[in-house]
Amino acid sequence: MPSESPRTAKPTTLFVSDLHLDASRPQATAAFLAFLAGEASQADALYILGDLFEAWVGDDDTSEPGASVASALARLSASGVAVHFMRGNRDFLLGEAYAGRCGMRLLADPCVVRLQGEPVLLTHGDLLCTDDLAYQDFRRQVHDPAWQRQFLAQPLAARHAFAAKAREASRAHHATVVSAGQAEEITDVSPDTVEATFVRFGVQRMIHGHTHRPAVHELHAGGRGRTRVVLGDWYDQGSVLRVGAGGWSLDRLAIGAS
C-alpha cells in the first residue's frame, strides 16, 4: 500500500502573527519565505492573524516585501494548503485585491473556526486591549470606511509618509506608557475584556497575537476553564502555533542574521 502524504497522515493547522515584514528587515522575510516553502507546505491550513507587514498603505503598492510574499503565498495556496488572513493594526488596509494575488481568504476579526472539531475564537488581539484608550480612538478612526476611502485616494508617496508618521507616533505612545510605568496594563489585554469575549462567543479556546507576549494562559471565565494562546512576533525569533491530532504546541522559530 502506498504511504500517505505528510498532509494526509499528520494534518496540522499552523498559526502565525506579527511578522511585521519590512524591507529594512530582510532576515524576517527570508525566514517567513523559508517557512512557507518548508513546514507550511505540509500543513492543511495556515492562518496569519494580522500584522504580516510593518505597514500596508494599499493593494496598489507592488514594492517588496509584499511582492515576493504574495508569490510565495500563491504557490502555497495552489499546492492545496488553505491560507487565511486576518487584518492587524498595521495592515488593516490589506484588501481583496492583494488577498486574491496571494490565494488567501480574508477573515473577519473576530471569528470562530473549528479546530479538531472544537470551536475556537480567532482575533488579532488589539480589540482586547481596551485599557489603551488612545489606541482604541485611533483604531475607530482608521477603520471608518469614509476615512479609508479618503486615505486610499491619496498618492502612494503621501500614504507612505502617513504610515511613517503613524509608526513614529506609535513608538512615542509606547515610550510614554513605559515611562509612566503603565506598559503592562495599557499595552496588554484587559482581563475583563478577555473574560467578556470568552462568554460572548461561548468558546473554550482563543488564539490571538498583537501583544508580542507569546504564552498559553489557563483561566476561568463565566464559571468555566478557558485557554488563551498568544502568538509571538517575528523580530528576534519567529513564533508558530501548531494544532493537530497530537495536541497544541506554541513554539519558537530561528531567524537568521541579515
Side-chain angles (χ1 to χ4, degrees):
M1 178 183 294
S3 61
E4 293 181 297
S5 69
R7 188 177 299 139
T8 302
K10 297 181 180 180
T12 303
T13 302
L14 304 175
F15 294 83
V16 298
S17 73
D18 299 282
L19 292 93
H20 293 270
L21 301 182
D22 185 77
S24 66
R25 296 175 54 247
Q27 69 275 18
T29 301
F32 184 56
L33 295 178
F35 171 74
L36 295 180
E39 179 178 2
S41 69
Q42 301 303 319
D44 278 0
L46 170 66
Y47 286 81
I48 305 169
L49 299 187
D51 287 2
L52 174 59
F53 298 104
E54 176 68 9
W56 191 259
V57 298
D59 290 1
D60 57 333
D61 186 355
T62 58
S63 62
E64 294 292 354
S68 58
V69 168
S71 296
L73 286 171
R75 288 193 295 272
L76 183 68
S77 177
S79 75
V81 179
V83 182
H84 308 270
F85 180 81
M86 179 178 288
R87 300 174 181 93
N89 57 293
R90 297 299 184 96
D91 46 23
F92 59 89
L93 288 171
L94 193 150
E96 294 286 356
Y98 186 75
R101 287 169 56 194
C102 298
M104 63 187 183
R105 174 192 173 204
L106 293 178
L107 301 175
D109 183 5
C111 69
V112 175
V113 300
R114 297 196 73 83
L115 298 175
Q116 301 297 311
E118 175 188 356
V120 177
L121 180 67
L122 308 181
T123 181
H124 174 59
D126 55 338
L127 286 169
L128 302 172
C129 299
T130 52
D131 291 334
D132 192 343
L133 301 180
Y135 169 72
Q136 295 299 332
D137 286 342
F138 173 77
R139 189 185 191 282
R140 281 188 288 272
Q141 175 192 359
V142 299
H143 279 260
D144 179 75
W147 185 95
Q148 293 188 2
R149 285 193 298 270
Q150 183 179 30
F151 179 80
L152 292 173
Q154 297 180 42
L156 193 56
R159 285 179 265 156
H160 276 294
F162 176 89
K165 290 181 180 179
R167 290 196 297 274
E168 183 58 37
S170 177
R171 286 190 287 266
H173 174 60
H174 182 73
T176 297
V177 298
V178 168
S179 64
Q182 298 176 314
E184 285 301 315
E185 54 271 38
I186 295 292
T187 62
D188 203 356
V189 299
S190 161
D192 289 344
T193 302
V194 168
E195 179 171 3
T197 302
F198 268 122
V199 172
R200 174 189 171 195
F201 286 92
V203 297
Q204 185 176 341
R205 298 184 196 251
M206 176 193 305
I207 304 170
H208 71 83
H210 180 66
T211 64
H212 300 193
R213 294 173 169 90
V216 178
H217 300 274
E218 302 293 344
L219 64 146
H220 278 80
R224 293 173 51 191
R226 319 273 184 164
T227 302
R228 179 170 65 93
V229 181
V230 186
L231 304 170
D233 59 60
W234 283 52
Y235 284 121
D236 298 324
Q237 60 197 14
S239 178
V240 59
L241 171 67
R242 302 176 175 99
V243 178
W248 294 45
S249 176
L250 179 63
D251 301 303
R252 298 175 178 180
L253 300 175
I255 294 182
S258 58

